[in-house]
Amino acid sequence: MLLIDKLSGKPVYEQIIEGVEKNILMGVYPEGSVLPSLRELSVTLGINPNTIQRAYRELESEGIVYTVPGKGSFA
């Protein structure tokens, strides 16, 4: 589960990146597992889907996750 502190001085997308990285290291998202969808996280966290998309793109550019069009993002 990702926790976002909207009162933190840290941007929300960076908090998502750190949360996903932490969950991967802790085994919450094992290698090859699908990450929550943009819509699902948007509703769950109450934030804009574009913010989540930005975080996922950053994670993908760092090689931490990969995206399969039409299937989702994977750890």
Side-chain angles (χ1 to χ4, degrees):
M1 179 69 179
L2 295 173
L3 299 176
I4 302 300
D5 181 3
K6 293 182 182 180
L7 301 176
S8 170
K10 184 175 284 197
V12 173
Y13 82 95
E14 288 182 5
Q15 292 182 53
I16 294 170
I17 291 169
E18 289 177 359
V20 170
E21 289 174 338
K22 181 179 176 184
N23 283 340
I24 289 171
L25 289 173
M26 291 174 48
V28 175
Y29 303 136
E31 187 175 338
S33 67
V34 66
L35 298 178
S37 71
L38 299 177
R39 255 186 221 160
E40 180 183 345
L41 269 182
S42 175
V43 170
T44 302
L45 300 175
I47 58 176
N48 190 304
N50 293 331
T51 303
I52 299 163
Q53 185 176 29
R54 181 177 180 183
Y56 277 18
R57 265 190 270 131
E58 183 72 28
L59 287 163
E60 188 170 14
S61 72
E62 293 175 9
I64 296 169
V65 302
Y66 64 95
T67 302
V68 177
K71 300 287 184 185
S73 297
F74 298 84

